[in-house]
Structure formats: C-alpha cells, structure tokens
Amino acid sequence: MGTLRKLALFASACLAAPFLASSPAAAADRDFCGKTVSGAILDKYLAMGDVSSPLKCPVTDEMTTPDGRGRYTHFQGGSIYWSAATDAHPVWGAVRDKWQVMGWERSALGYPKSDELKNADGKGVCQEFEGGTVYWSAATGAHPV
C-alpha cells in the first residue's frame, strides 16, 4: 500500500474516532437555568416538560453518583437518577425524602427502577427501586417495603 493511501486511511480513522466515541444524546447537551442537562437524564427531563414540569429548573449539572454506577441531576422539584441497569427516573416529594434519608443509591433500595406510580387504591403513590418499593399516602407517609 502506498504512503499516500496509508496517510489517507489514518486521517479518516482519526477524524471518525471522535464521532464514534460520543453518542447522539451526549452531543445534545442543553442548558436550562444556567445548568447543563444531558444524555438519558435530558431525554427524561424533556419528556416531562423540562422547566414546565414539576421538577422545574436544574440546580446542579449532571454529576456522577458517589457509588460510580450512575449519574444524577438535582432540580428545584426533585431529581433524575440514571444507571445502565435502571435507565433514567425522576424522584421527588416524600418518596425522594425517604430515599435521601436512607442513603440515596447507596441504600438498600439502590437506584429507582420506575417513575412514580399511583397506588392501585388511588390513595397515594409508589416507586420501585432495585431493592424494594417506597409507598406513600397522606395517611401513612413514605415507607420502604
């Protein structure tokens, strides 16, 4: 193979490498209220209505969780947590407060596996985590099971 052809192949490989290393979601980072939201967390935030959602404005940029398994962004009205095993899910209100007191993702609950759902009886909500479910109602408060 000629030197010129080798250089052309090398140059095309070098130019292509950065595009292969970044995902379309990573390229679509967006700023809201002076903070950056990106990737799957951005996708979830946009689907919820971004600043018009119950989460409102982000108060942190996207950050790595202390256990190193995931990412999160805190917002005025809650948080969105992501891990490869669970995807991105918002957590807010009394469920988030209970999870925080227990130790966030390092607790026995782990990462959220679902968005908040209405309880079957219509009196409260629940949210599934890797290690259990947190149930909340006005009558009982938030309790992990």
Side-chain angles (χ1 to χ4, degrees):
M1 183 182 303
T3 303
L4 189 54
R5 182 172 159 125
K6 285 181 189 175
L7 285 173
L9 288 173
F10 176 75
S12 66
C14 289
L15 290 173
F19 298 106
L20 296 174
S22 62
S23 70
D29 293 355
R30 295 220 0 224
D31 287 343
F32 296 91
C33 309
K35 301 293 180 184
T36 301
V37 184
S38 54
I41 292 174
L42 172 62
D43 293 343
K44 177 59 83 171
Y45 186 53
L46 291 173
M48 293 177 66
D50 58 69
V51 296
S52 299
S53 76
L55 294 175
K56 300 179 179 132
C57 287
V59 295
T60 67
D61 291 322
E62 185 172 306
M63 302 173 72
T64 301
T65 54
D67 72 355
R69 286 184 48 217
R71 309 276 296 165
Y72 69 93
T73 300
H74 291 312
F75 298 83
Q76 291 171 328
S79 303
I80 298 178
Y81 273 74
W82 170 90
S83 79
T86 61
D87 204 8
H89 299 285
V91 186
W92 62 64
V95 171
R96 180 182 181 267
D97 294 345
K98 177 58 76 176
W99 186 47
Q100 177 184 11
V101 167
M102 293 178 67
W104 303 103
E105 75 283 349
R106 292 180 289 179
S107 72
L109 288 173
Y111 286 82
K113 287 184 6 178
S114 75
D115 293 357
E116 191 174 89
L117 306 167
K118 296 242 183 246
N119 287 336
D121 65 4
K123 299 177 183 176
V125 296
C126 64
Q127 186 159 6
E128 292 181 58
F129 292 79
E130 292 173 303
T133 302
V134 176
Y135 290 88
W136 174 88
S137 73
T140 64
H143 298 282
V145 177

